[in-house]
Structure formats: structure tokens, C-alpha cells
Amino acid sequence: MRKAITSQAYLFEWNSPSPLSGAPTLSLTGGALAYSEAMTQSRANVTVSAIAADRRTLTLTGSADSLHRDQAKGYLVTDGDTWFSVTISRVVGTSAILAEPLPREIDLSTNATLVFSMYYATVTTAAVTSVSGYYSYSVAYSADQGSQNHSKIERGTLKVTPKPFDTGLDHDEFVATFANLADMIPRRQSDFSAQIKASLDEIALMIRNHLSADDLTEDEVFNAESFKLAHAYCAAARVYELALQLDVAAAMRARCEELLDSALSSVTLDIDGDGIIDSNEENLSKVGGSARDFRASWRFFNKNEYDKRFTPKRGMRH
């Protein structure tokens, strides 16, 4: 699920799953106005005239602009060897360096094309984001598979909310907390932002599971920063899983769950949706079941309003 801030324009970025034969089209339904717009490619394709023996260093036919962070994903399309999904780590002058070497040698007797996969479009407040809620989006595109083009569509949900859930954890704070992980950054990445983002989604799902009985989500949490340490341990678990250190990863996940429960024991929620912390919205406990409560002894049980008012008495029938 994508999230946008209420009353602010949203930059919709999308990476194509394969080379395209034309610009994709972004459409959103449910807003104040009908929204459908052709997306813009973040960077023009460049021609590749040669590749070095390391299968990573590409020679471009002309000098290219500097590489930006959101332009790193792309495809190397050749005439004789189909196309390869690549990550570009550097573009300087007439040279482009791939994050990893190609899986095999390729024939460049004819030029190849380096295709950048990121497209974007701006979703305006007048069309959609002026009103909080859920909106369905679709990206229609034509995938260029070489001999044929395939018409495809990708669907998803855009949630517009005043305060999207975010603990504030970034790469610098993450490696400051776990200094030993600084040397474990994958070669295809420049930092741990991918693992931090994925673990944020995981933490959000855990919190939503605890709040769903009250028709609330993680985006109604005022004190999101209270979950930052749990978020850090969850991200660390993902890093250790990538390194196949599964025992350490399991210990990190166990600690993440403990910290998550600790943060949920004193959470501040925007129950009425007015964006103001009221007296009945502070220091609420949303932790799961207790071993001393025979109604639900498992940790992930969430009490609904009836459970909170229910008081067991002697002689009650089951």
C-alpha cells in the first residue's frame, strides 16, 4: 500500500518490471476528479557501444548526466543476447558502472541500449489527495518482450492520511545502533534503506493487527517514534537473514516483538481523527492477551470493546 499526505501533492514513482514499448498510464479512481496521466521516464535511455572484460563497465556513445538515487534501476537491452535487469552504481562521463557483473558474456558487435526503469507522475490535491481515504490506482503498460508486446496492468491502493506512520529510523541512526552491521551492506545497495523500508511495513502490519479491533490503523498512532527501537531490531533481523545467520536473526525478531509490546503498552492514538491529542487518547494499552486472563491467554489476542467491559463472575455458564 502506498501512502500520501492529506492536502499535499504526491509524487507517484514506479519501476517498470521489464522494458516498455511506450509510456505507462497512471489512473486513480474515487477522487474528486477523474485522474489519468501518462507517466514520465526519469531519465532518457543511453546507447552502449562497448563493455569491459569485467562485464560491469559500460562505454556510452556520449557523455551522460550524473546519476541520481532514483535512477539506479534499469535494463541492458542487446540485439543478440535479449535483455538483462541491472542496477547502475555510477555514471561518469562516457562510462557507466553496474553494481554486479552480467551473468555471462554478451555480443556488442552492434550497440546496446541502457534503459532506465523509473517513471513518475504527480497526483495533485485537486484530483485526489485533498480528502483522506483509500483510492484504487492502476498502471497500464505495454511490456516489450522483444518479438511481441504484452499489454499489462498493475493495481494497488493509495491511502491518503494526515500522518502516515513512520518511526523516523534512517540508515545513519540504524548503523549507529548496530555498528557491526555497517560492513554488511549488500553490493547492489549504497545503504540499508531497502531493509529499513521493508521492516517499517512489517512493523506497521503488526501494529495494525493490535488496533484493528478498534477500527484503527498504524496511521492513527501519534507517538510513532516510540516504535523506533523495535523497527531497528526488525531491520537488523532482515540483514542477518540475508547473511544466513538465522539464529541471530531469530534473536533479533524476538527482541523486536518484546519492544513492540512495550511500546504498545503506552500508545497515543488519534481515535476521533481530529489530529489533536485528547485526554482519552493518551497512554492507552494495546498489548495482547495476558496469561492471567482466562478469556484469552495468547499474546497476540486483541480485546474488543465488549471484552473490555466484560467481567467474569462465579457460576457463569460457558
Side-chain angles (χ1 to χ4, degrees), residues 71-134:
Q71 300 171 345
K73 301 297 182 181
Y75 303 95
L76 182 63
V77 182
T78 69
D79 285 341
D81 294 271
T82 69
W83 53 267
F84 301 86
S85 179
V86 297
T87 298
I88 304 100
S89 61
R90 181 185 304 162
V91 174
V92 178
T94 58
S95 296
I97 310 297
L98 304 181
E100 291 183 339
L102 297 179
R104 55 185 171 83
E105 295 182 357
I106 62 173
D107 176 32
L108 277 185
S109 55
T110 57
N111 291 340
T113 304
L114 188 59
V115 178
F116 294 90
S117 64
M118 204 276 275
Y119 291 80
Y120 67 91
T122 300
V123 181
T124 61
T125 55
V128 176
T129 58
S130 60
V131 180
S132 299
Y134 293 87

Side-chain angles (χ1 to χ4, degrees), residues 237-254:
R238 284 182 169 270
V239 174
Y240 282 114
E241 286 169 352
L242 290 174
L244 299 181
Q245 299 183 33
L246 302 183
D247 290 343
V248 182
M252 290 289 177
R253 287 201 176 276

Side-chain angles (χ1 to χ4, degrees), residues 64 118 146 256 283 318:
M118 204 276 275
C256 166
N283 298 324
H318 293 286

Side-chain angles (χ1 to χ4, degrees), residues 3-317:
K3 294 181 181 180
I5 301 175
T6 305
S7 299
Q8 293 190 22
Y10 174 69
L11 182 63
F12 190 105
E13 294 183 337
W14 178 76
N15 282 287
S16 63
S18 67
L20 305 183
S21 61
T25 301
L26 171 65
S27 301
L28 283 98
T29 58
L33 301 174
Y35 181 90
S36 181
E37 185 173 340
M39 304 182 73
T40 304
Q41 191 175 16
S42 63
R43 186 185 180 109
N45 301 336
V46 294
T47 302
V48 178
S49 59
I51 184 171
D54 61 0
R55 303 204 300 271
R56 289 184 60 206
T57 306
L58 308 178
T59 301
L60 311 179
T61 56
S63 181
D65 296 334
S66 299
L67 184 71
H68 295 286
R69 185 68 172 267
D70 56 2
Q71 300 171 345
K73 301 297 182 181
Y75 303 95
L76 182 63
V77 182
T78 69
D79 285 341
D81 294 271
T82 69
W83 53 267
F84 301 86
S85 179
V86 297
T87 298
I88 304 100
S89 61
R90 181 185 304 162
V91 174
V92 178
T94 58
S95 296
I97 310 297
L98 304 181
E100 291 183 339
L102 297 179
R104 55 185 171 83
E105 295 182 357
I106 62 173
D107 176 32
L108 277 185
S109 55
T110 57
N111 291 340
T113 304
L114 188 59
V115 178
F116 294 90
S117 64
M118 204 276 275
Y119 291 80
Y120 67 91
T122 300
V123 181
T124 61
T125 55
V128 176
T129 58
S130 60
V131 180
S132 299
Y134 293 87
Y135 302 90
S136 173
Y137 74 81
S138 63
V139 178
Y141 62 97
S142 179
D144 185 359
Q145 301 296 331
S147 61
Q148 302 291 334
N149 293 331
H150 298 262
S151 296
K152 297 186 177 183
I153 189 167
E154 179 179 311
R155 299 182 183 275
T157 303
L158 174 67
K159 181 182 181 181
V160 179
T161 178
K163 191 175 182 291
F165 178 80
D166 190 357
T167 65
L169 182 68
D170 58 18
H171 170 80
D172 291 337
E173 190 167 2
F174 178 59
V175 296
T177 305
F178 301 99
N180 58 310
L181 297 182
D183 296 327
M184 298 174 65
I185 300 175
R187 185 167 61 178
R188 292 174 64 92
Q189 300 176 201
S190 56
D191 56 26
F192 285 121
S193 59
Q195 286 75 19
I196 291 172
K197 181 181 182 302
S199 57
L200 177 64
D201 294 338
E202 191 171 348
I203 290 290
L205 289 174
M206 294 179 187
I207 296 173
R208 190 181 306 171
N209 181 55
H210 283 269
L211 302 180
S212 59
D214 297 321
D215 292 328
L216 298 173
T217 70
E218 71 281 0
D219 297 316
E220 278 72 61
V221 175
F222 275 115
N223 57 331
E225 66 281 355
S226 298
F227 297 87
K228 183 182 292 186
L229 195 54
H231 182 191
Y233 271 90
C234 184
R238 284 182 169 270
V239 174
Y240 282 114
E241 286 169 352
L242 290 174
L244 299 181
Q245 299 183 33
L246 302 183
D247 290 343
V248 182
M252 290 289 177
R253 287 201 176 276
R255 181 60 176 150
C256 166
E257 293 174 359
E258 293 174 1
L259 292 168
L260 183 72
D261 284 347
S262 178
L264 284 169
S265 65
S266 180
V267 65
T268 303
L269 299 170
D270 189 11
I271 298 175
D272 53 12
D274 61 355
I276 301 173
I277 301 177
D278 301 317
S279 58
N280 63 330
E281 297 176 338
E282 299 178 287
N283 298 324
L284 305 176
S285 178
K286 296 296 180 181
V287 186
S290 169
R292 297 183 298 274
D293 190 343
F294 71 86
R295 290 171 295 177
S297 59
W298 58 94
R299 187 163 62 90
F300 295 108
F301 172 74
N302 299 313
K303 296 179 181 179
N304 57 30
E305 288 299 324
Y306 175 76
D307 293 327
K308 294 174 183 177
R309 298 192 304 267
F310 173 75
T311 303
K313 298 179 180 179
R314 179 185 295 271
M316 292 185 69
R317 292 180 178 272

